[in-house]
Amino acid sequence: MDRRQFVQSMIALGAASSASPEVLFGQGSSELRDLADAALATAKKLGATYADIRINRYRNQFIFTRDRRVQNIANTDDHGFGIRLIVDGTWGFASSSAVSKDEIARVAAQAVGIAKANRAINQEPVRLAPVEGFDTSWNTPVKKNPFEMPLQPKLDLLLQIHEEALKVPGASFVSAFMQFVNEHKYFASSEGSHIEQSLIRTYPSFTITAVDKATGKFYSRRSLTSPMGMGYEYVESYPLLQEARVAAEEAVATHKAKPAPSGPKTLILHPSNLWLTIHESVGHPTELDRALGYEANFAGTSFLTTDKLGTFQFGSKLVNLVADRTQENGMATCGYDDDGVKSSRWHLVKDGTFVDYQTTRDQAHLIGQKASHGCSYADSWGSVPFQRMPNVSLEAGTKDVSEADIISATADGVYVKGDASFSIDHQRYNFQFSGQTFWEVKNGKITTQLRDLAYQSNTPEFWKACDMLGGPSTYALGGAFNDGKGQPVQSNSVSHGCPIARFAGVNILNTGQ
Amino acid sequence: MIWTKEQAKTLADRALALSKAEQTFVAINGSERASVRFARNTVTTAGATSAVSLAITSRFGKRSGTVTTARFDDASLQTALRNAEEIAKVSPENPEAMPLLGPQTYTPATAYFDDVASATPEWRASSVATAIALAKKNEVVSAGFVETQAAMQAVASSQGLFAYDRFTAADYNLTARTPDGSGSGWASKSFNQLGLLRPDVLAETAISKAAMARNPTGIEPGTYTVVLEPAAVADMVAFMLFSANARQADEGRSFFAKKGGGNRIGEQIVGDGVRIYSDPAHPLAPTVSFDNEGLPAEKRVWVEKGVLQNLFYSRFWAQKMGKAPISTPSNVIMDGGTATMADLIAGTQRGLLVTRFWYIRPLDPQTILLTGLTRDGLFLIENGKVTRPVRNMRWNESPVVALNNVDAMTAPERVVSGEGVGGSGLSLVCPAARIREFRFTSSSDAV
């Protein structure tokens, strides 16, 4: 095949759309609306009782540095579309990276074929909770779009992190990176929605390692930054250089730190650690799809079975956990989910009692609810939307209790900052977490740094042991860039806010023994 | 989208011809994937996706920039190339940048099979129907996943490199749970050929295990002899092997670092019955014939009679250390022994039979200490017999310690680890093994 034939074959396959990504995915593009309408009309003609299309573009920028060198700079650009539809009460889905009307027609027919093939094994016809049709747009309210920022200040800052860290004697290796994400999503449905969204996330981070070749020991300390649903203003506002110096000192000091104790202790968790415990022990078990068994083969089910709804004592009376897709700077924050449902905020745990789940349109009816909470998300144009976590956060205490107040009220405990190793069972009972740094607390004071510490507990026992909460001034957002779930595995980004919190009698492990 | 070698070469040549950089590297990846997911004895989601993408790395001296695009007309290629060139121009020099590879010689691969590439939605639905029917007949609730995929990849450079290959993968895994929620069983397989996949056998395995696992009782955490099914062995082996980076070892940042400097190649690190290697031509786990940079995939022994033979060396680190570059494993194969599963159990005075592990995460890179849980079938063995199901437990253990304590193994088989490693991404072949003194630290209420 010569070049001309090849180009023609690509066009025949729909590999080239009629407009560049910049034009096609420009805000308010009429081309997107035309393509979407064509998809919905085709699906309807082929017998679908419901159809939606997502035409999405994903841009990433990665900048990696290591030991005073820029290792790699990569800009990725990925776009395509996915058509989801219902035929005879059965879902079908198909997708392609070639955005053109011809390919949309082919893929719509493919999705119908898949739905028809699976009709024979479908025992539960799909029922969708009602939703209003929206013709609107929503963008992450960034102050500085990271994709419009020049590279040089980003590189300069990353390399400055190396210089600051390596000023500390004993700091051996430094790596630092920035990642920026832009999801541009166009959603249209047969129920009248045309929703365009542009979501931006930003993540700067570094790791400093102190090696002692004589003993063969090494310790690392990662930055306490979390990825955020913010623009470049997050990078500029976070004291990265200051923390690089502190992190290097702490990595070096770990060599001389006291071994962690073993056994039950009062546990104080900084938000930079607690966010991950919330994610694993609250975020995942309150997913309705897990509770119903949809994830039984992979991510697992949930101890929060539907019979516990409204009555189960999940934690102490201090514990209020909210799901919130409207949370400022949250990575799961958006205007509308991938079912076209408007974002909202609701309680999962109220005054210690388990009161609600995360839901999607096709599962809300299974627990008698009439509307979806808007938790549908797909990580790509090529992925099937399903139930994914909104931002799930622990509300701060009503009194403005400070970090110093909690330390001074603690006779014998440990204080953990930063997230590290994490593991939880497939029904979300038994968990074990570690951290970046650990501190001994004796008689109301932080006395010394510890090393090799992890804590183990059982989710409801842990949350019932919560006996002190920091106030709003201690509240901070953490979050995960790549939370995996589903088959094929999809990853989503989600934030978790919390104050400093204290837990009585949690089992501490010395992992160095 | 699965392009032919000629189509991939044509696109690569066009991109290289339009480049203005001193050196240019391109990588083309395409795939056709389709799957069905089920739970609660019914289909939940099903889908198909077709994609192709091009990654371009432009180089000026030791400066480089990378972009990806999914558009291949000349204007789009020009835009992507100019973007990569702009990034390269403003990027600081990377002293570790290596020259792009020129022409290489590859051994033809055999990882692509037409029966997978042509699998239909009807075949996938019928394979799910088989599992659901067996689950209903045995009064359990099934959940699972079947996926077929075909993929192609090509790399080319302005220095004359060109490589093209394709592979196929068919994955099937399912969990069966008793309706009272007290028993759970699991089975999983992945092959390059559809004909090797037996959904009925997998369903029967998961269903019988769920029945065996019903109504577990508690057992004290502590140190036990374990009989690990191949999926659990694979987790141990894969975690250890993927820590085997030469640079990290030489820099003192890994288990494979030698105290005082250097690495532990040549040292006994695990039991002398352990042999671990990679072989792209392995009949059960064939892989593509080159790595991401275009280096040929080769047979490589990592551990022989328990002695560390090789670590993986990036091209930069290999040059710096005067070694040949060694790619990360193309697949992971652990030789086994002559025992049967029945032998492993019969030879256990008191121990635990483990179906699979779950949520494994590293705790300490110094010792490769890991934590994780058992799942979908944990059984007590007493006096050489499986006596009762027991509640799941969390363990804290290093694969290095575990592989030092192996005292019997079965023949190896193609296996998928408990968290899905071993499917289409990385092929694993491992035996079941009996391992002494495996540490469990707490119990889990999860079924």
Side-chain angles (χ1 to χ4, degrees):
Chain A
M1 180 184 282
D2 65 18
R3 184 186 148 198
R4 190 173 162 198
Q5 286 174 310
F6 175 63
V7 172
Q8 284 173 339
S9 73
M10 288 303 98
I11 291 170
L13 286 168
S17 67
S18 55
S20 72
E22 283 67 29
V23 173
L24 185 65
F25 290 95
Q27 294 274 326
S29 158
S30 60
E31 292 214 21
L32 284 178
R33 183 176 283 261
D34 289 346
L35 288 167
D37 287 342
L40 300 175
T42 304
K44 190 174 177 185
K45 192 175 159 190
L46 293 171
T49 53
Y50 169 86
D52 60 42
I53 180 169
R54 290 172 300 110
I55 311 173
N56 295 354
R57 180 190 190 193
Y58 301 85
R59 298 170 69 201
N60 279 268
Q61 183 173 71
F62 303 90
I63 309 171
F64 296 101
T65 62
R66 175 199 154 113
D67 302 329
R68 297 188 165 111
R69 293 163 185 175
V70 176
Q71 268 192 306
N72 194 23
I73 303 169
N75 286 351
T76 66
D77 192 331
D78 174 34
H79 60 264
F81 68 93
I83 296 173
R84 184 176 65 155
L85 45 76
I86 299 171
V87 177
D88 288 345
T90 304
W91 282 120
F93 174 83
S95 58
S96 171
S97 61
V99 185
S100 72
K101 281 195 177 173
D102 287 346
E103 183 71 345
I104 280 173
R106 182 190 74 80
V107 167
Q110 188 182 15
V112 169
I114 287 170
K116 287 182 175 174
N118 290 325
R119 188 168 47 190
I121 51 172
N122 187 10
Q123 309 293 312
E124 298 178 11
V126 180
R127 280 174 55 190
L128 297 177
V131 64
E132 183 183 345
F134 297 98
D135 195 338
T136 185
S137 64
W138 191 92
N139 298 333
T140 303
V142 299
K143 295 186 176 73
K144 290 189 176 180
N145 185 333
F147 292 89
E148 292 169 0
M149 294 288 296
L151 267 174
Q152 200 59 51
K154 298 171 183 171
L155 298 172
D156 290 346
L157 179 55
L158 287 172
L159 294 172
Q160 273 182 282
I161 288 171
H162 293 243
E163 296 306 323
E164 282 301 310
L166 292 171
K167 283 176 186 169
V168 176
S172 314
F173 300 100
V174 182
S175 61
F177 79 91
M178 289 184 193
Q179 183 180 350
F180 307 101
V181 180
N182 179 207
E183 285 184 49
H184 192 127
K185 303 168 29 151
Y186 193 95
F187 171 90
S189 78
S190 57
E191 296 179 341
S193 277
H194 284 272
I195 302 168
E196 187 170 9
Q197 299 188 87
S198 178
L199 311 179
I200 286 180
R201 298 187 280 276
T202 292
Y203 187 24
S205 182
F206 60 77
T207 302
I208 296 158
T209 302
V211 176
D212 183 337
K213 285 206 170 178
T215 63
K217 298 266 186 190
F218 60 95
Y219 292 102
S220 296
R221 157 76 149 82
R222 195 159 41 77
S223 62
L224 302 185
T225 50
S226 271
M228 290 279 180
M230 299 175 71
Y232 197 73
E233 65 274 10
Y234 174 53
V235 175
E236 292 182 333
S237 65
Y238 193 94
L240 283 162
L241 299 180
Q242 191 181 329
E243 192 182 320
R245 181 71 81 97
V246 172
E249 289 167 352
E250 288 178 351
V252 173
T254 307
H255 283 281
K256 293 184 178 170
K258 186 174 160 182
S262 296
K265 288 276 177 193
T266 299
L267 177 67
I268 303 167
L269 299 180
H270 189 264
S272 58
N273 180 271
L274 181 56
W275 75 264
L276 183 51
T277 309
I278 293 170
H279 174 86
E280 300 289 4
S281 70
V282 183
H284 282 305
T286 54
E287 294 166 330
L288 179 59
D289 62 341
R290 294 180 68 116
L292 293 172
Y294 284 79
E295 285 282 336
N297 183 51
F298 183 62
T301 58
S302 172
F303 74 92
L304 287 171
T305 45
T306 53
D307 56 304
K308 296 185 174 77
L309 188 58
T311 57
F312 183 75
Q313 192 193 343
F314 182 90
S316 72
K317 293 279 186 192
L318 295 176
V319 175
N320 284 283
L321 292 150
V322 290
D324 190 356
R325 278 197 185 274
T326 67
Q327 187 159 9
E328 187 180 14
N329 304 331
M331 286 191 289
T333 298
C334 57
Y336 303 83
D337 78 347
D338 285 345
D339 280 346
V341 175
K342 191 171 172 57
S343 296
S344 63
R345 178 184 192 273
W346 67 104
H347 271 90
L348 298 168
V349 172
K350 180 79 177 158
D351 300 327
T353 302
F354 166 52
V355 294
D356 208 348
Y357 285 108
Q358 308 159 40
T359 57
T360 56
R361 288 188 71 194
D362 59 353
Q363 289 171 7
H365 72 94
L366 294 168
I367 52 168
Q369 293 192 356
K370 292 191 165 45
S372 162
H373 280 309
C375 296
S376 178
Y377 177 81
D379 69 350
S380 160
W381 51 264
S383 300
V384 180
F386 72 125
Q387 199 265 291
R388 297 311 310 263
M389 202 183 292
N391 306 301
V392 172
S393 302
L394 173 67
E395 290 185 322
T398 49
K399 293 179 187 169
D400 200 13
V401 174
S402 68
E403 177 188 65
D405 293 336
I406 292 182
I407 299 292
S408 66
T410 302
D412 184 12
V414 294
Y415 187 17
V416 182
K417 290 184 179 178
D419 64 273
S421 181
F422 54 100
S423 176
I424 190 163
D425 73 32
H426 50 285
Q427 289 188 317
R428 304 277 147 175
Y429 284 115
N430 176 304
F431 63 67
Q432 177 174 303
F433 295 98
S434 186
Q436 292 295 322
T437 59
F438 319 103
W439 309 87
E440 181 183 71
V441 180
K442 287 278 187 196
N443 302 319
K445 289 191 169 56
I446 292 175
T447 55
T448 187
Q449 190 176 342
L450 302 170
R451 61 177 162 83
D452 304 328
L453 187 149
Y455 59 94
Q456 274 189 5
S457 191
N458 168 296
T459 296
E461 287 174 16
F462 174 81
W463 286 104
K464 283 176 197 168
C466 180
D467 65 357
M468 277 191 90
L469 282 182
S473 67
T474 73
Y475 188 91
L477 269 188
F481 232 0
N482 296 298
D483 175 37
K485 181 183 169 188
Q487 290 180 296
V489 175
Q490 295 189 35
S491 76
N492 77 329
S493 299
V494 58
S495 295
H496 302 282
C498 54
I500 294 176
R502 196 179 82 165
F503 302 83
V506 177
N507 193 35
I508 305 300
L509 274 78
N510 179 324
T511 58
Q513 289 176 343
Chain B
M1 292 165 200
I2 308 299
W3 289 356
T4 63
K5 183 176 184 176
E6 291 69 31
Q7 287 173 316
K9 180 87 167 54
T10 303
L11 177 63
D13 287 347
R14 284 172 55 222
L16 294 175
L18 293 167
S19 172
K20 294 179 179 175
E22 289 174 10
Q23 294 189 10
T24 308
F25 178 85
V26 297
I28 302 165
N29 284 282
S31 65
E32 297 275 356
R33 302 177 68 158
S35 60
V36 179
R37 198 172 188 212
F38 59 105
R40 297 153 58 90
N41 285 342
T42 185
V43 63
T44 55
T45 54
T49 188
S50 174
V52 65
S53 68
L54 170 71
I56 299 165
T57 299
S58 298
R59 295 269 287 269
F60 294 95
K62 289 182 177 289
R63 303 169 189 271
S64 72
T66 300
V67 302
T68 67
T69 182
R71 294 170 52 82
F72 314 115
D73 57 283
D74 277 3
S76 298
L77 286 179
Q78 298 263 20
T79 301
L81 284 159
R82 298 300 87 81
N83 287 342
E85 289 155 10
E86 282 306 307
I87 294 170
K89 283 176 184 168
V90 300
S91 174
E93 285 197 349
N94 179 3
E96 299 182 5
M98 296 293 292
L100 299 178
L101 289 173
Q104 304 287 310
T105 303
Y106 303 103
T107 305
T110 53
Y112 185 93
F113 292 86
D114 286 334
D115 63 350
V116 178
S118 58
T120 62
E122 287 73 22
W123 180 84
R124 287 183 289 274
S126 70
S127 74
V128 170
T130 299
I132 291 174
L134 281 168
K136 285 182 172 173
K137 184 180 163 192
N138 289 277
E139 297 181 341
V140 296
V141 182
S142 64
F145 180 65
V146 55
E147 180 176 56
T148 52
Q149 72 164 299
M152 62 92 185
Q153 58 193 67
V155 293
S157 78
S158 50
Q159 316 312 110
L161 173 78
F162 181 75
Y164 170 91
D165 215 339
R166 331 179 272 179
F167 72 91
T168 48
D171 293 60
Y172 200 108
N173 46 75
L174 81 164
T175 299
R177 293 176 63 81
T178 58
D180 62 357
S182 77
S184 182
W186 169 85
S188 180
K189 281 291 179 189
S190 175
F191 292 107
N192 298 68
Q193 298 180 67
L194 202 64
L196 297 178
L197 208 58
R198 294 286 306 276
D200 54 341
V201 174
L202 289 168
E204 283 162 5
T205 302
I207 290 165
S208 63
K209 186 145 284 185
M212 275 174 64
R214 190 191 294 259
N215 298 321
T217 50
I219 188 169
E220 282 300 305
T223 300
Y224 289 85
T225 292
V226 288
V227 174
L228 302 185
E229 292 198 11
V233 172
D235 279 321
M236 292 280 121
V237 174
F239 262 100
M240 186 183 79
L241 194 53
F242 281 92
S243 303
N245 178 293
R247 183 173 189 171
Q248 285 187 331
D250 291 337
E251 291 178 342
R253 296 186 292 142
S254 116
F255 165 80
F256 297 100
K258 185 183 276 185
K259 196 171 167 180
N263 64 50
R264 300 177 68 179
I265 289 177
E267 285 187 24
Q268 181 100 29
I269 55 163
V270 292
D272 57 15
V274 176
R275 179 170 189 258
I276 302 168
Y277 65 104
S278 298
D279 181 2
H282 193 284
L284 270 182
T287 69
V288 295
S289 55
F290 56 90
D291 73 1
N292 290 338
E293 288 185 280
L295 276 176
E298 293 175 341
K299 185 170 181 176
R300 181 80 53 191
V301 177
W302 307 102
V303 175
E304 181 81 57
K305 294 183 179 172
V307 176
L308 181 66
Q309 303 291 319
N310 280 300
L311 298 167
F312 26 97
Y313 282 80
S314 67
R315 293 177 59 223
F316 166 73
W317 199 248
Q319 184 194 53
K320 185 179 170 72
M321 306 306 285
K323 305 267 189 182
I326 297 177
S327 301
T328 51
S330 53
N331 53 20
V332 178
I333 298 149
M334 178 172 164
D335 277 352
T338 55
T340 62
M341 271 302 284
D343 295 336
L344 297 186
I345 293 165
T348 305
Q349 188 63 25
R350 190 165 193 275
L352 293 165
L353 171 60
V354 177
T355 299
R356 71 153 156 159
F357 290 142
W358 171 247
Y359 221 126
I360 303 172
R361 292 294 181 276
L363 262 173
D364 180 7
Q366 187 106 48
T367 56
I368 325 183
L369 179 65
L370 308 174
T371 189
L373 296 126
T374 61
R375 179 172 171 182
D376 297 323
L378 179 67
F379 305 94
L380 184 66
I381 305 170
E382 294 172 295
N383 301 318
K385 291 199 168 82
V386 173
T387 52
R388 63 185 167 95
V390 291
R391 288 203 186 105
N392 286 305
M393 286 198 283
R394 170 174 299 286
W395 50 269
N396 283 13
E397 189 56 277
S398 165
V400 181
V401 174
L403 293 176
N404 261 296
N405 289 336
V406 174
D407 65 18
M409 292 183 280
T410 65
E413 59 186 73
R414 178 79 187 261
V415 61
V416 179
S417 86
E419 292 192 59
V421 177
S424 52
L426 173 75
S427 304
L428 303 174
V429 177
C430 281
R434 187 170 63 230
I435 293 172
R436 301 179 303 277
E437 297 176 8
F438 197 90
R439 290 184 297 168
F440 293 92
T441 57
S442 58
S443 60
S444 155
D445 294 327
V447 173

